[in-house]
Amino acid sequence: QKYQPKGVSFKLIYIAEAHARDKWPIGIKTGPQVNATKSVEERQMNAEDLLETSGWLIETYIDNMEDEMISVMAAWLFRYWILRGDTVAHISFPIHANFNLDEIDEFLSSRLD
């Protein structure tokens, strides 16, 4: 919210389920256990559950069942892009399957302040 007055908005695109228990289960410690979705409606319900559980208030989009976001943007279970206009200004890359979300703040602070 601190960047909203500067014209920054955040969006969530919900893609295929990470480690779905019926496709690639790795255990309960990874978060909610869900099956791979078979319809956009199921994916929508999972996204709504995620938002409710996390408490996030964020504009959300759902990837289609052809997983275009995954194939076109090389989306990974959790990845973020920072766009400036129609240009990709930054793409996150995981280190040991984790992200340092402070990168977002550092990137935006260095370019907006």
Side-chain angles (χ1 to χ4, degrees):
Q1 290 180 343
K2 79 179 193 179
Y3 293 110
Q4 197 169 24
K6 297 179 181 186
V8 175
S9 62
F10 292 88
K11 312 286 189 245
L12 171 72
I13 302 173
Y14 188 94
I15 61 172
E17 291 66 30
H19 305 290
R21 69 177 154 219
D22 60 340
K23 288 218 172 178
W24 191 19
I26 62 171
I28 194 80
K29 292 181 182 179
T30 62
Q33 299 295 294
V34 295
N35 288 327
T37 52
K38 295 176 178 47
S39 69
V40 171
E41 292 77 20
E42 286 180 1
R43 198 168 273 182
Q44 176 72 39
M45 287 189 312
N46 284 353
E48 289 171 5
D49 288 346
L50 169 69
L51 295 173
E52 183 177 323
T53 302
S54 67
W56 295 343
L57 299 172
I58 186 169
E59 189 174 343
T60 303
Y61 299 88
I62 309 299
D63 197 9
N64 61 30
M65 297 314 293
E66 289 76 34
D67 295 323
E68 284 186 70
M69 187 67 185
I70 293 172
S71 59
V72 172
M73 296 296 289
W76 190 59
L77 311 174
F78 174 68
R79 175 166 273 172
Y80 64 86
W81 292 262
I82 297 176
L83 307 175
R84 187 169 205 145
D86 60 358
T87 302
V88 176
H90 178 76
I91 302 173
S92 66
F93 291 97
I95 298 172
H96 305 294
N98 286 298
F99 290 98
N100 177 357
L101 293 179
D102 291 336
E103 283 182 18
I104 297 171
D105 190 52
E106 291 167 11
F107 182 89
L108 293 174
S109 292
S110 70
R111 283 154 179 84
L112 296 175
D113 290 339

